[in-house]
Amino acid sequence: QIITNLVLNARDALPEGGDITVSVNAVQVAADAAAQNPAARLGLAVRLSVADNGAGISPEHLSRIFEPFFSSKAEGMGMGLNICRSIVESHKGRMWVEANPSGGSIFRFTLPAA
């Protein structure tokens, strides 16, 4: 559900001929990441990233992007990203967004490896 939502959001943000990249990596959870999320344990995690080269998220929307009922889309309900983050956090993971150096946005989340 999380991947579907992120990919559909990326598709909606893309100009004609834009790109979406989905990647999965095994990463080591650093001490500072564990400090930001006390539920996260140090150790191996899986990181999934969904990147697009669309317009990106405006700075005034960035701090609110995961808030319930906040949407930058006229027809958006503002619940998709909030639900995605809640699912990730309920599995002791972390979700965030950052600017894509190639333009657009990268949504990332990590989940502890079993």
Side-chain angles (χ1 to χ4, degrees), residues 57 61-67 70 72 78 81-82 97 107:
I57 300 168
H61 291 164
L62 199 56
S63 65
R64 300 187 61 207
I65 201 74
F66 292 105
E67 287 181 14
F70 176 80
S72 59
L81 290 173
N82 178 264
V97 62
F107 281 84

Side-chain angles (χ1 to χ4, degrees), residues 1-3 5 79-95 109-111:
Q1 186 61 47
I2 296 166
I3 297 166
N5 188 62
M79 290 303 296
L81 290 173
N82 178 264
I83 291 169
C84 288
R85 185 180 240 182
S86 294
I87 292 169
V88 168
E89 289 176 351
S90 73
H91 291 283
K92 300 186 180 12
R94 182 173 165 258
M95 184 173 188
F109 66 91
T110 58
L111 294 170

Side-chain angles (χ1 to χ4, degrees), residues 7-73:
V7 169
L8 291 176
N9 282 353
R11 183 199 63 193
D12 291 346
L14 285 178
E16 185 69 30
D19 292 316
I20 298 171
T21 304
V22 178
S23 60
V24 180
N25 305 90
V27 296
Q28 192 70 31
V29 176
D32 61 333
Q36 290 176 13
N37 181 0
R41 291 187 215 129
L42 296 178
L44 192 61
V46 175
R47 176 180 291 160
L48 188 129
S49 303
V50 176
D52 68 68
N53 63 351
I57 300 168
S58 65
E60 63 269 11
H61 291 164
L62 199 56
S63 65
R64 300 187 61 207
I65 201 74
F66 292 105
E67 287 181 14
F69 306 111
F70 176 80
S71 179
S72 59
K73 298 188 267 186

